[in-house]
Amino acid sequence: MKNSTAIGGFESLGLPKAVCQYLAKRDIVVPTPIQEQSIPVGLTGSDLIGIAQTGTGKTLAFGLCLLERLLPHQNGLVLAPTRELAHQIAETFTWLGARCVLVVGGESMKRQIAELRGRHDVVVATPGRLIDHLQQKTYKLDRIGVAVLDEADRMLDMGFAPAIRTILGQCPSDRQTLMFR
């Protein structure tokens, strides 16, 4: 017996038809298990913890939820443990048509400040560099509508718990939080 989601694809998960058509044009028509389980919950605005192996479509799962849930005056925030992962996540958001600012160590603070001051939908950051911006008051988190912690367990293992607490503490309390491992 076929899974009903496979028959209805992404549309049966509650995504708008235009988003489903965009995905279909790129040959993405059958959701992976993590997408199938997390997207419907994420679209409701509920907080979510998702666990899946690398390469199973987690970034697309939280990316689609984040972009669908943002109100016009809000931004999304994605925290990742490494520059490399942050770059990959930012590429996915750009591919989805979002205006994305990448905030990671080892890259120009001046460029990041200019981009953070401009129009953007999503900030993808490593905790350490985002803390630098918060301490220097070059960015505020008061417009975050959805916060995502990708590889949350890894960030905690790397000692980022205090930074994550600080960052989430500066986000609005009514934000949606999605954690993935």
Side-chain angles (χ1 to χ4, degrees), residues 31-165:
T32 65
I34 189 66
Q35 294 164 349
E36 185 176 75
Q37 294 171 15
S38 62
I39 290 173
V41 175
L43 291 177
T44 69
S46 297
D47 291 344
L48 168 72
I49 297 173
I51 301 170
Q53 295 294 320
T54 300
T56 57
K58 290 182 285 190
T59 305
L60 189 60
F62 68 69
L64 291 169
C65 291
L66 184 152
L67 292 174
E68 287 304 311
R69 292 284 309 153
L70 285 183
L71 298 174
H73 64 282
Q74 293 178 328
N75 297 113
L77 171 65
V78 180
L79 294 177
T82 66
R83 282 189 308 224
E84 295 77 16
L85 182 56
H87 275 278
Q88 292 171 9
I89 294 167
E91 286 175 13
T92 298
F93 276 103
T94 300
W95 179 83
L96 287 170
R99 293 177 305 257
C100 186
V101 177
L102 182 64
V103 175
V104 296
E107 297 191 11
S108 167
M109 280 286 280
K110 187 176 180 180
R111 179 195 52 78
Q112 292 172 7
I113 292 167
E115 289 181 8
L116 288 168
R117 288 182 179 157
R119 272 187 77 204
H120 59 277
D121 303 307
V122 181
V123 173
V124 178
T126 53
R129 179 49 69 98
L130 185 56
I131 288 290
D132 291 343
H133 282 282
L134 297 176
Q135 289 174 342
Q136 293 180 29
K137 300 189 184 322
T138 56
Y139 193 65
K140 292 194 308 187
L141 300 171
D142 58 341
R143 294 176 34 151
I144 300 300
V146 180
V148 177
L149 305 177
D150 192 21
E151 302 283 340
D153 58 328
R154 193 164 160 207
M155 284 192 285
L156 295 175
D157 288 344
M158 294 170 72
F160 286 125
I164 292 169
R165 268 194 294 281

